[in-house]
Short mmCIF file of all heavy atoms in Angstrom, two decimals:
data_model
loop_
_atom_site.label_atom_id
_atom_site.label_comp_id
_atom_site.label_asym_id
_atom_site.label_seq_id
_atom_site.Cartn_x
_atom_site.Cartn_y
_atom_site.Cartn_z
N ASP A 6 -0.94 6.29 -5.11
CA ASP A 6 -0.34 5.64 -3.94
C ASP A 6 1.15 5.50 -4.19
O ASP A 6 1.59 4.66 -4.97
CB ASP A 6 -0.99 4.27 -3.72
CG ASP A 6 -0.22 3.43 -2.69
OD1 ASP A 6 0.39 4.03 -1.78
OD2 ASP A 6 -0.24 2.19 -2.82
N SER A 62 -1.35 9.56 -1.50
CA SER A 62 -0.75 8.98 -0.29
C SER A 62 0.70 8.68 -0.63
O SER A 62 0.97 7.99 -1.61
CB SER A 62 -1.47 7.71 0.14
OG SER A 62 -0.71 7.01 1.12
N PRO A 108 1.17 7.58 5.93
CA PRO A 108 -0.08 7.73 5.20
C PRO A 108 -0.64 6.41 4.67
O PRO A 108 -1.86 6.21 4.65
CB PRO A 108 0.32 8.66 4.03
CG PRO A 108 1.50 9.40 4.52
CD PRO A 108 2.24 8.43 5.40
N ASP A 109 0.24 5.51 4.24
CA ASP A 109 -0.23 4.22 3.73
C ASP A 109 -0.97 3.44 4.79
O ASP A 109 -1.95 2.73 4.50
CB ASP A 109 0.94 3.40 3.19
CG ASP A 109 2.06 3.19 4.21
OD1 ASP A 109 2.27 4.07 5.07
OD2 ASP A 109 2.74 2.15 4.13
N VAL A 112 -4.44 4.97 5.23
CA VAL A 112 -5.28 4.63 4.08
C VAL A 112 -5.72 3.17 4.15
O VAL A 112 -6.87 2.83 3.87
CB VAL A 112 -4.53 4.93 2.77
CG1 VAL A 112 -5.32 4.43 1.58
CG2 VAL A 112 -4.26 6.42 2.64
N ASN A 113 -4.80 2.28 4.51
CA ASN A 113 -5.16 0.86 4.65
C ASN A 113 -6.25 0.68 5.71
O ASN A 113 -7.17 -0.13 5.53
CB ASN A 113 -3.93 0.04 5.04
CG ASN A 113 -3.04 -0.28 3.85
OD1 ASN A 113 -3.42 -0.05 2.71
ND2 ASN A 113 -1.85 -0.78 4.12
N GLY A 116 -9.57 1.84 4.18
CA GLY A 116 -10.06 0.91 3.16
C GLY A 116 -10.54 -0.40 3.76
O GLY A 116 -11.59 -0.93 3.37
N ASP A 129 0.34 -5.84 5.43
CA ASP A 129 0.70 -5.33 4.11
C ASP A 129 2.13 -5.77 3.78
O ASP A 129 3.09 -5.36 4.43
CB ASP A 129 0.60 -3.79 4.12
CG ASP A 129 0.76 -3.19 2.73
OD1 ASP A 129 1.19 -3.91 1.80
OD2 ASP A 129 0.45 -2.00 2.56
N THR A 220 -2.77 -7.66 2.22
CA THR A 220 -2.65 -6.95 0.96
C THR A 220 -1.18 -6.98 0.55
O THR A 220 -0.31 -7.32 1.34
CB THR A 220 -3.19 -5.51 1.09
OG1 THR A 220 -3.27 -4.92 -0.22
CG2 THR A 220 -2.30 -4.65 1.97
N GLU A 238 -6.98 -8.50 -0.09
CA GLU A 238 -7.43 -7.36 -0.87
C GLU A 238 -6.26 -6.84 -1.70
O GLU A 238 -5.31 -6.30 -1.14
CB GLU A 238 -7.95 -6.24 0.05
CG GLU A 238 -9.11 -6.64 0.95
CD GLU A 238 -10.43 -6.69 0.21
OE1 GLU A 238 -10.45 -6.39 -1.00
OE2 GLU A 238 -11.45 -7.01 0.85
N ASP A 239 -6.33 -7.02 -3.01
CA ASP A 239 -5.19 -6.61 -3.84
C ASP A 239 -5.17 -5.11 -4.11
O ASP A 239 -4.14 -4.56 -4.52
CB ASP A 239 -5.16 -7.39 -5.15
CG ASP A 239 -6.39 -7.13 -6.02
OD1 ASP A 239 -7.37 -6.54 -5.52
OD2 ASP A 239 -6.37 -7.53 -7.20
N ASP A 240 -6.28 -4.40 -3.86
CA ASP A 240 -6.33 -2.97 -4.14
C ASP A 240 -6.70 -2.17 -2.90
O ASP A 240 -7.31 -1.11 -2.99
CB ASP A 240 -7.35 -2.68 -5.25
CG ASP A 240 -8.78 -3.06 -4.85
OD1 ASP A 240 -8.95 -3.79 -3.84
OD2 ASP A 240 -9.72 -2.61 -5.53
N LEU A 241 -6.31 -2.66 -1.74
CA LEU A 241 -6.77 -2.07 -0.48
C LEU A 241 -6.36 -0.61 -0.33
O LEU A 241 -7.17 0.24 0.05
CB LEU A 241 -6.24 -2.88 0.70
CG LEU A 241 -6.73 -2.44 2.08
CD1 LEU A 241 -8.24 -2.60 2.18
CD2 LEU A 241 -6.04 -3.24 3.17
N THR A 242 -5.10 -0.29 -0.62
CA THR A 242 -4.63 1.09 -0.42
C THR A 242 -5.32 2.05 -1.37
O THR A 242 -5.77 3.13 -0.96
CB THR A 242 -3.10 1.17 -0.60
OG1 THR A 242 -2.47 0.18 0.22
CG2 THR A 242 -2.58 2.53 -0.21
N ILE A 243 -5.43 1.68 -2.63
CA ILE A 243 -6.11 2.54 -3.60
C ILE A 243 -7.58 2.69 -3.23
O ILE A 243 -8.16 3.79 -3.32
CB ILE A 243 -5.95 1.97 -5.02
CG1 ILE A 243 -4.51 2.17 -5.51
CG2 ILE A 243 -6.93 2.60 -5.98
CD1 ILE A 243 -4.14 3.64 -5.78
N HIS A 244 -8.23 1.62 -2.78
CA HIS A 244 -9.62 1.72 -2.35
C HIS A 244 -9.74 2.67 -1.16
O HIS A 244 -10.67 3.48 -1.09
CB HIS A 244 -10.16 0.34 -1.97
CG HIS A 244 -11.52 0.39 -1.35
ND1 HIS A 244 -12.65 0.75 -2.06
CD2 HIS A 244 -11.95 0.16 -0.07
CE1 HIS A 244 -13.70 0.73 -1.26
NE2 HIS A 244 -13.30 0.38 -0.05
N GLY A 245 -8.79 2.57 -0.23
CA GLY A 245 -8.81 3.45 0.93
C GLY A 245 -8.71 4.92 0.53
O GLY A 245 -9.32 5.79 1.17
N LEU A 246 -7.97 5.21 -0.52
CA LEU A 246 -7.88 6.59 -1.00
C LEU A 246 -9.24 7.10 -1.47
O LEU A 246 -9.60 8.26 -1.23
CB LEU A 246 -6.85 6.68 -2.13
CG LEU A 246 -5.39 6.66 -1.70
CD1 LEU A 246 -4.47 6.56 -2.91
CD2 LEU A 246 -5.03 7.89 -0.87
N THR A 247 -10.02 6.26 -2.14
CA THR A 247 -11.35 6.70 -2.59
C THR A 247 -12.28 6.91 -1.39
O THR A 247 -13.11 7.81 -1.40
CB THR A 247 -12.00 5.68 -3.55
OG1 THR A 247 -12.32 4.47 -2.87
CG2 THR A 247 -11.06 5.36 -4.72
#
Side-chain angles (χ1 to χ4, degrees):
D6 169 30
S62 167
D109 55 329
V112 173
N113 280 349
D129 189 347
T220 190
E238 301 283 359
D239 63 348
D240 63 345
L241 184 62
T242 308
I243 288 291
H244 173 68
L246 283 172
T247 68

